[in-house]
Amino acid sequence: MADPSSPRPRPARMTGRQRREQLVEVGRTVFAEKGFDATSVEEIAARAKVSKPIVYEHFGGKEGLYAVIVDRETSTLLGALESALSEGRAHPRVLMEKAALAFLTYIDESEDGFRILVRDSPVAQTGGSFSSLLGDVAAKVESILAAQLRLRKYPPRDAELYAQMLVGMVAYTGQWWLETRKPSKEAVAARMVNLSWFGLGAMEKKPTIRGV
């Protein structure tokens, strides 16, 4: 039996990589809760149980930590969407369903990350914004729509505009679903595609505003 009077062994110190990952996780939680402006290095350090200089040593400040977190979340979400849209032989409607479901799955599994992405980025943050990420996704959707528009003898030049509309619908619906979580993500994805797909199937070739 161990002598209770003997000193307890100290926990092993984190390596530099482990400490960095810990700060990323802590920062991710705080930024999601409070946003960039209301988050301080002091709070991040306190929650991680380290001194402020440790945060500065690894990231140079909260701006550097925020940039790392946004870059990771952007890569995760874009990777999931690219994977969903990469099955070239799949029916376009199936691709749309997969992409919508991938988006909602990311929200479901990475709630803090999504909250960070949809918040306004700080002025100094020039890349990796949510709007630029959606632009990348829209570009991929555009190529799918262009092929479908040609097949149905619609003007393929409209593909860019329709892609922006579809991606905007998914993104806005995703933000709404983040707070409600009802119905299920599968039901939401199915209904988004139901609206967009059957709208595509019945749309006019040269739509105009009526009554003007």
Side-chain angles (χ1 to χ4, degrees):
M1 181 178 295
D3 184 355
S5 64
S6 62
R8 295 181 179 179
R10 293 182 179 180
R13 290 186 60 183
M14 288 187 180
T15 65
R17 182 186 295 272
Q18 290 171 332
R19 179 65 72 191
R20 184 179 176 87
E21 290 303 313
Q22 180 211 21
L23 291 172
V24 167
E25 287 303 311
V26 170
R28 189 171 178 265
T29 299
V30 180
F31 284 128
E33 289 176 2
K34 298 192 170 185
F36 178 83
D37 290 335
T39 295
S40 66
V41 172
E42 288 85 352
E43 180 162 6
I44 293 170
R47 292 205 193 185
K49 298 181 180 179
V50 299
S51 62
K52 285 171 54 179
I54 296 294
V55 180
Y56 286 109
E57 176 186 340
H58 283 277
F59 300 100
K62 74 172 183 178
E63 293 83 1
L65 176 56
Y66 182 88
V68 169
I69 293 169
V70 169
D71 183 65
R72 287 191 182 187
E73 295 302 324
T74 299
S75 297
T76 298
L77 177 53
L78 186 57
L81 293 171
E82 286 180 336
S83 177
L85 293 169
S86 64
E87 298 183 29
R89 295 184 179 182
H91 190 280
R93 180 176 177 180
V94 173
L95 291 178
M96 293 169 65
E97 289 173 346
K98 286 180 176 291
L101 189 56
F103 193 94
L104 294 170
T105 297
Y106 168 79
I107 294 172
D108 192 30
E109 298 177 352
S110 304
E111 180 178 325
D112 283 350
F114 185 68
R115 288 187 186 280
I116 291 171
L117 289 181
V118 298
R119 287 182 186 272
D120 292 334
S121 297
V123 174
Q125 185 73 22
T126 57
S129 68
F130 189 57
S131 59
S132 66
L133 181 149
L134 294 181
D136 292 340
V137 176
K140 297 182 180 300
V141 173
E142 180 184 343
S143 63
I144 296 173
L145 288 180
Q148 290 302 305
L149 289 170
R150 290 191 188 94
L151 184 64
R152 291 165 171 76
K153 302 188 184 304
Y154 290 107
R157 65 177 179 273
D158 289 341
E160 180 180 5
L161 176 59
Y162 287 127
Q164 294 291 334
M165 293 176 181
L166 286 172
V167 171
M169 177 179 68
V170 173
Y172 187 81
T173 303
Q175 292 181 60
W176 167 83
W177 187 75
L178 172 65
E179 306 301 337
T180 63
R181 298 304 179 98
K182 292 181 180 180
S184 69
K185 61 186 178 183
E186 291 81 6
V188 174
R191 281 159 178 75
M192 283 195 291
V193 175
N194 185 45
L195 173 62
S196 58
W197 182 257
F198 286 102
L200 177 66
M203 70 182 182
E204 299 173 331
K205 292 182 179 180
K206 294 183 179 180
T208 58
I209 300 297
R210 301 185 182 186
V212 177

